[in-house]
Amino acid sequence: EAWGEYAPRNLAWPVAYPKGRAPEWENPVAVSRARFHIWLTQRWNRSHAAAIREHDQGHPLMSEYYRLPLDGIDLPLTLDDLDVSDIGYFNPPDHDLETLPLAIRWSDQRLRGKGVCLGEYGVKTHPAWLRERGGRGYHVARTDGEQAQLAVAVAHYGLGMGASKVQNWCLRDSQTRVFPWGLFYPNAPLPKPWAYVHRNLSLVWRHFTLAPEQPTLAVCVPTAIRIGNHHRIGFDAPQQAFASLLDIHADFATIQDANLDDLPATVRTLVYPAAMAVADADFAELMKWVRGGANLLVTGSLAYDGHRRGERHGRLLELCG
């Protein structure tokens, strides 16, 4: 009944689950599948967090996510049972330095009380990975200078944007398979040139004691738009907002629209891009915050609810008067 015209017509048992690949943005089958994938990831996190907590009540828990959402492996939507937001960071050489701060901001859940960090990063320098020899994507050989430059960027952006730690992958190159982006060469404890960069920055950063500041500006990241077809809109639009704000050196925090009740009172301006599918409870929290006298910049159409149904036409009137 919920799927309407998208539901299978012949309900003989066993019922084949619809492929749900019809590209329509409002396709409820695609929304249902995405919600199920998210539930699976949440169940995984809940299970392993509970198992660890049986033996360790003190240490923060984290599980490394991909830099980009992938099906139900969407960090902000599935982080509830973990303490730290943790991503691996890899990108091609013409994008890695540019998109690094965007990746940190995307995974930044500090307004929810979750730390943020880079769980792994690294690049290859061995000539076997040159483009003319088949290197592609981020599996491309860099120069020693480019490798060191990435280490400097990761350490500086990590420190300046609130990361609790960064770590590379891995300590040394594997002796049994080709995965050459360790700090040490294989077979012998001989450090590569960038190992000294990584080590020295770690030593220098120990002399800093950072005092957190309460934000006055935040970007509200849409959630329901990432659950279903064309989910990349819910990732690309906030990334553009991050890039624009970083370009003018604006300091800002991030918050999911599903977590607006965690928004601190110090935030007086909220940028809400691609608000194209907003759950009723999230809109109610947004209105409560706006009625408190804060400033909201919103793009998209608030007429669509959390299930992508265009049935909330009174929202814009309620918001703007």
Side-chain angles (χ1 to χ4, degrees):
E1 290 177 358
W3 287 348
E5 62 182 280
Y6 292 89
R9 294 295 171 230
N10 300 315
L11 296 180
W13 185 260
V15 177
Y17 189 87
K19 293 183 178 180
R21 292 179 179 171
E24 291 88 347
W25 181 76
E26 70 276 10
N27 183 348
V29 179
V31 173
S32 295
R33 174 181 279 105
R35 290 188 182 278
F36 176 62
H37 288 172
I38 289 167
W39 176 82
L40 287 175
T41 306
Q42 291 170 329
R43 185 178 68 167
W44 163 265
N45 283 338
R46 188 178 307 116
S47 175
H48 90 246
I52 293 172
R53 286 302 182 216
E54 289 181 3
H55 307 280
D56 185 339
Q57 300 295 320
H59 290 86
L61 302 183
M62 64 192 72
S63 187
E64 185 183 307
Y65 282 76
Y66 302 121
R67 178 180 64 87
L68 303 176
L70 179 64
D71 291 332
I73 308 174
D74 187 312
L75 183 152
L77 292 178
T78 58
L79 199 64
D80 289 346
D81 292 281
L82 304 179
D83 303 306
V84 179
S85 170
D86 185 350
I87 60 167
Y89 184 74
F90 300 99
N91 232 347
D94 51 345
H95 290 96
D96 54 1
L97 299 180
E98 177 184 352
T99 58
L100 172 60
L102 307 183
I104 295 174
R105 272 294 176 262
W106 168 261
S107 57
D108 188 348
Q109 302 295 299
R110 286 177 295 165
L111 292 188
R112 297 167 60 188
K114 313 281 188 181
V116 59
C117 70
L118 292 174
E120 61 171 298
Y121 78 101
V123 296
K124 299 172 177 176
T125 58
H126 195 282
W129 299 95
L130 292 171
R131 292 187 189 276
E132 55 267 30
R133 293 175 178 169
R136 57 186 176 84
Y138 59 79
H139 295 281
V140 173
R142 322 285 181 98
T143 66
D144 286 339
E146 289 172 331
Q147 189 179 50
Q149 183 184 34
L150 179 62
V152 171
V154 166
H156 281 77
Y157 276 124
L159 181 76
M161 301 184 74
S164 58
K165 72 174 179 69
V166 300
Q167 64 192 52
N168 76 298
W169 183 272
C170 46
L171 180 61
R172 68 177 183 180
D173 294 342
S174 173
Q175 301 181 52
T176 58
R177 62 191 180 97
V178 182
F179 199 69
W181 46 34
L183 289 172
F184 289 75
Y185 293 104
N187 304 313
L190 180 65
K192 298 178 181 180
W194 84 301
Y196 295 100
V197 178
H198 190 92
R199 189 273 313 271
N200 292 346
L201 288 170
S202 178
L203 292 173
V204 170
W205 280 189
R206 297 180 191 186
H207 294 280
F208 289 87
T209 301
L210 302 184
E213 296 180 355
Q214 289 298 317
T216 60
L217 169 67
V219 174
C220 182
V221 178
T223 56
I225 196 174
R226 305 206 305 274
I227 306 174
N229 283 337
H230 307 292
H231 60 278
R232 278 297 300 263
I233 297 172
F235 177 79
D236 292 339
Q239 291 275 295
Q240 183 59 60
F242 299 164
S244 299
L245 290 170
L246 289 169
D247 281 347
I248 60 172
H249 298 271
D251 189 20
F252 63 95
T254 58
I255 190 77
Q256 303 287 304
D257 57 11
N259 305 115
L260 284 171
D261 53 341
D262 292 323
L263 201 63
T266 57
V267 174
R268 306 311 296 158
T269 302
L270 193 66
V271 178
Y272 192 4
M276 302 277 298
V278 184
D280 290 339
D282 300 341
F283 182 76
E285 283 293 332
L286 185 69
M287 287 301 304
K288 185 191 306 182
W289 180 79
V290 171
R291 288 192 178 104
N295 306 303
L296 173 67
L297 171 63
V298 61
T299 66
S301 173
L302 291 165
Y304 292 89
D305 66 8
H307 295 279
R308 303 187 177 203
R309 297 171 299 205
E311 301 172 352
R312 300 293 186 268
H313 298 290
R315 285 178 173 178
L316 193 59
L317 185 64
E318 183 181 358
L319 182 66
C320 301

